[in-house]
Amino acid sequence: MSTPFSTSLLQQLRERQPDLPEAQRNVVRLILDNPRTAVVATVEQLAQQAGVSMPTIVRTCRSFGHDSVRGFMVALAQDLAVTGSHLHRSVQADDSARDVASKIVHAAVSSLTELGRAINTDLLDQVADRLAQARRIDCYSVGAASTFMANELQSRLFRLGRTANAIFDAHQQLVSASTLGPDGVAFVISHVGRMPYTVEAARFARTQGATVVALTQPGTPLAEAADLVLAVSVPQDAVMRVGTEAYLAHLVVIEILMVRLAQRLGPLVTRDLQQFKQLLHKHGFDSAEYAGAVGSVTGNPQGAASCDPATRE
């Protein structure tokens, strides 16, 4: 268990550095020189860069009240999360363009690295199994960010041959919840996880026997209403309730989940995905080779006539 401190971890590192053994001073110096890089580094990388052994990294973390390197890095990330301005948690008002770009990228990488450490793969597999068996999967959301995620999830499920809907209207969510039944899944996406009508729909779906999956922060009312919780924790955004790092984390969780689901469904699904890609390419979606696209660009109304014969149907 970590020892609570009234001062920030960064301040402790600065104040106690001179009194530490030499090897631990080297570790602390490395962290203070670039704390955002240190947060996303492995123990092996830190040890190599500081010129010390990996056990020294562990001892250094313990000397600051943390039983594990992970616990230390979580505390460091939380400390960094409150050091920025109201523009971004990592950015100061007078930062240069290079500083802004570097800090925002490092903050996003840090959040995704922590997600990778914390993600519950056994739980992901439970969700993938349930999605593979479900007769119908209805994706509920509220708000711009969650609606984007629900649309993405529904699209990915549809491509995998699952019967799936994305539902954003409060009344329709209740109708859905009443009809899913024991072989249905209500997949609810809300990072904030506190919208009353969506939480109500999740609870009602559960009373009807449906499996409720929540993609949300841990400890929210939505998390408490769900059977299976894909918990995503990211530092609070300085401007938006659901910031870019939450977007990225949710998309990564959905990506992992869809790959595991495809593995569950077997090789026929992989074949179908390839066929979808070829079909869309053949009919000109996201393809510069489509005859109609050439005609519109060149101004030739008979665009097909100007195509290379090898690309004609």
Side-chain angles (χ1 to χ4, degrees):
M1 182 72 75
S2 299
T3 303
F5 292 97
S6 57
T7 55
S8 73
L9 180 55
L10 284 170
Q11 184 177 342
Q12 293 174 56
L13 292 171
R14 296 187 191 100
E15 291 176 351
R16 293 184 51 201
Q17 182 183 2
D19 301 324
L20 294 172
E22 182 179 0
Q24 293 188 28
R25 282 203 307 273
N26 292 339
V27 175
V28 171
R29 185 180 304 112
L30 174 70
I31 294 171
L32 289 175
D33 284 346
N34 199 336
R36 301 187 189 283
T37 299
V39 162
V40 299
T42 64
V43 175
E44 185 177 4
Q45 289 170 336
L46 289 172
Q48 185 176 17
Q49 293 169 15
V52 301
S53 66
M54 287 192 285
T56 298
I57 303 295
V58 176
R59 285 194 293 270
T60 303
C61 295
R62 286 177 177 170
S63 70
F64 286 88
H66 297 275
D67 291 339
S68 66
V69 176
R70 178 184 172 186
F72 179 93
M73 292 306 174
V74 168
L76 181 60
Q78 291 172 341
D79 204 6
L80 292 170
V82 298
T83 60
S85 69
H86 293 296
L87 302 172
H88 184 273
R89 66 185 178 88
S90 303
V91 175
Q92 300 297 332
D94 58 351
D95 279 342
S96 67
R98 182 180 295 276
D99 289 336
V100 170
S102 176
K103 288 181 176 182
I104 290 177
V105 169
H106 277 92
V109 170
S110 174
S111 290
L112 292 180
T113 299
E114 181 53 33
L115 174 68
R117 293 184 181 128
I119 200 163
N120 186 333
T121 52
D122 290 337
L123 181 61
L124 272 168
D125 277 350
Q126 290 180 48
V127 175
D129 286 339
R130 192 65 193 89
L131 296 179
Q133 299 163 9
R135 174 183 59 86
R136 193 178 92 215
I137 306 161
D138 287 351
C139 308
Y140 304 165
S141 67
V142 59
S146 296
T147 295
F148 171 81
M149 297 300 164
N151 269 320
E152 176 67 14
L153 176 61
Q154 185 274 335
S155 176
R156 298 286 294 272
L157 289 167
F158 182 71
R159 284 176 178 243
L160 292 176
R162 300 288 83 199
T163 301
N165 306 292
I167 303 174
F168 322 123
D169 179 79
H171 299 91
Q172 291 299 318
Q173 287 176 2
L174 278 176
V175 171
S176 161
S178 70
T179 60
L180 278 171
D183 53 358
V185 172
F187 198 121
V188 191
I189 303 177
S190 173
H191 188 64
V192 177
R194 298 182 183 279
M195 183 59 73
Y197 69 75
T198 301
V199 174
E200 181 185 4
R203 289 173 177 156
F204 189 63
R206 196 172 179 183
T207 66
Q208 301 304 298
T211 300
V212 177
V213 179
L215 179 54
T216 185
Q217 298 177 90
T220 64
L222 175 57
E224 295 170 1
D227 296 291
L228 300 169
V229 181
L230 298 172
V232 171
S233 296
V234 296
Q236 186 174 356
D237 191 88
V239 179
M240 298 177 289
R241 294 201 75 187
V242 183
T244 301
E245 290 171 33
Y247 267 86
L248 293 173
H250 282 214
L251 284 172
V252 167
V253 170
I254 290 172
E255 173 77 7
I256 297 169
L257 182 59
M258 292 301 99
V259 171
R260 290 299 285 159
L261 176 58
Q263 290 175 321
R264 290 286 193 278
L265 295 174
L268 289 178
V269 166
T270 303
R271 184 202 65 186
D272 289 345
L273 290 173
Q274 289 299 313
Q275 287 180 341
F276 295 154
K277 184 176 180 180
Q278 292 167 7
L279 180 68
L280 293 173
H281 185 80
K282 176 181 178 181
H283 286 270
F285 290 90
D286 300 324
S287 171
E289 297 178 14
Y290 183 48
V294 174
S296 65
V297 171
T298 61
N300 180 0
Q302 304 296 325
S306 64
C307 286
D308 188 298
T311 66
R312 292 182 197 165
E313 287 298 317

